[in-house]
Amino acid sequence: MSLPNHRATGPRLSASATGALMAVTSMSAVQLGLALSVPLVDQLGALGTTGLRMAWAGVLLLVLVRPRPRDFTGRDLRACTALGAVSAGMMICFMLAVARLPLGTASALEFLGPLAVSLYGSFHGPGRGRTRWAALAALGVVALTEPWHGGIDAAGAGFAVAAASCWAAYILLTQRVGDSVTGLGGLAVSMPVAGLIGLLAAAPSDLAHVTWRLLAAMLGLAALSAALPFALEFLALRRLTTSAFGTLMSLEPAVALLAGLLVLGQVPALASAAGVALVVTAGIGATRTGVRPSPTPSEPHPAVTTPTTASSPSG
């Protein structure tokens, strides 16, 4: 007679909690990388720094993941290429916006992308109650960024809105590619596309001052603030709905605020502290109802449907 196994096991995180942890870790890595990139921006320019970071991330993912061509259909390759293009557009347009607008104003405008994803899912899907979390997150972002303190440059606002559009498309395409391609193969194809676009945007003027020391520094930053965050977001979107993920991204201004405090010594004002509380509350509320159910045994892959369901949206 065999005895039951009473081996102690620790508590296991739910799928939504695991996805939320991955997303927060990704945001933390991005903001730490941005803080460490400040001296390099002065030497390479915004586009040069962004282009090199994306290019190195593409090389790292190709070497580490080594995607196999036979694992991709023609549709998968097109989706990966589109994901690479919107990833590059998101980072390039945001850097161009920051060159013309205060960082808080640009961040508030860029957040319109994931907020739109959250609101779309709340109004058109079963989780209609998520609307209140998206609204609470929006109030938090306004309190964090205080956009009324400065004027709006038309070109800068246009670049920020373009970055927001790319961010929304990035969320949808990341889940689409993550569900269709095994492992991180889709990311290993899309990131080199983003890197190539980034280098083309930066060349030749922004890359004229590249040295071996700067190349080595950018390799480390690419691993910290590009390869790792993109991989974590891929995995998070396999566990969360796009609506929950979009609302959770409202935590990024709060993470940026914390990075500024710890790394750059920037003390937040009272309104910013209130904004942190609002977006944290919204993030927790969204992820509690944002888990993606596992596919049934008859489904080899999650179905590709609208972004309001727990399945992958089409790109």
Side-chain angles (χ1 to χ4, degrees), residues 68-115:
R68 297 174 298 183
R70 66 175 179 271
D71 292 336
F72 297 83
T73 65
R75 186 180 179 185
D76 293 336
L77 289 174
R78 289 191 295 271
C80 290
T81 302
L83 177 58
V86 299
S87 299
M90 177 177 64
M91 290 183 275
I92 291 171
C93 289
F94 183 71
M95 293 304 297
L96 291 173
V98 169
R100 294 166 172 81
L101 296 175
L103 179 59
T105 302
S107 298
L109 289 172
E110 191 194 27
F111 181 68
L112 292 175
L115 182 59

Side-chain angles (χ1 to χ4, degrees), residues 29 32-34 36-37 40 49 53 216-227:
L32 178 59
L34 287 175
L36 296 175
S37 297
L40 299 180
T49 303
R53 181 163 59 95
M218 289 308 305
L219 174 60
L221 287 173
L224 173 66
S225 61

Side-chain angles (χ1 to χ4, degrees), residues 173-274:
L173 283 168
T174 295
Q175 193 172 79
R176 158 73 175 86
V177 172
D179 285 344
S180 300
V181 181
T182 303
L184 296 176
L187 181 61
V189 172
S190 65
M191 201 64 210
V193 173
L196 178 60
I197 294 174
L199 288 178
L200 291 174
S205 59
D206 288 327
L207 300 178
H209 304 292
V210 173
T211 64
W212 289 110
R213 181 175 175 274
L214 288 175
L215 280 176
M218 289 308 305
L219 174 60
L221 287 173
L224 173 66
S225 61
L228 176 62
F230 275 91
L232 288 173
E233 288 179 7
F234 246 71
L235 297 175
L237 276 164
R238 286 176 175 162
R239 293 163 171 82
L240 299 172
T241 62
T242 52
S243 179
F245 184 83
T247 307
L248 184 61
M249 286 297 102
S250 66
L251 288 169
E252 187 142 13
V255 176
L257 192 71
L258 183 60
L261 175 64
L262 297 179
V263 180
L264 303 176
Q266 300 173 344
V267 180
L270 181 61
S272 296

Side-chain angles (χ1 to χ4, degrees), residues 19-145:
L21 181 61
M22 289 175 175
V24 172
T25 302
S26 170
M27 289 183 281
S28 301
V30 167
Q31 295 304 323
L32 178 59
L34 287 175
L36 296 175
S37 297
V38 171
L40 299 180
V41 172
D42 293 336
Q43 300 176 61
L44 293 175
L47 290 181
T49 303
T50 303
L52 280 177
R53 181 163 59 95
M54 289 190 291
W56 268 129
V59 171
L60 285 173
L61 288 167
L62 273 178
V63 171
L64 295 175
V65 178
R66 288 178 292 179
R68 297 174 298 183
R70 66 175 179 271
D71 292 336
F72 297 83
T73 65
R75 186 180 179 185
D76 293 336
L77 289 174
R78 289 191 295 271
C80 290
T81 302
L83 177 58
V86 299
S87 299
M90 177 177 64
M91 290 183 275
I92 291 171
C93 289
F94 183 71
M95 293 304 297
L96 291 173
V98 169
R100 294 166 172 81
L101 296 175
L103 179 59
T105 302
S107 298
L109 289 172
E110 191 194 27
F111 181 68
L112 292 175
L115 182 59
V117 173
S118 297
L119 289 173
Y120 183 84
S122 298
F123 282 122
H124 294 81
R128 297 180 188 275
R130 286 195 297 270
T131 303
R132 64 180 180 272
W133 303 123
L136 192 65
L139 289 175
V141 169
V142 171
L144 274 166
T145 58

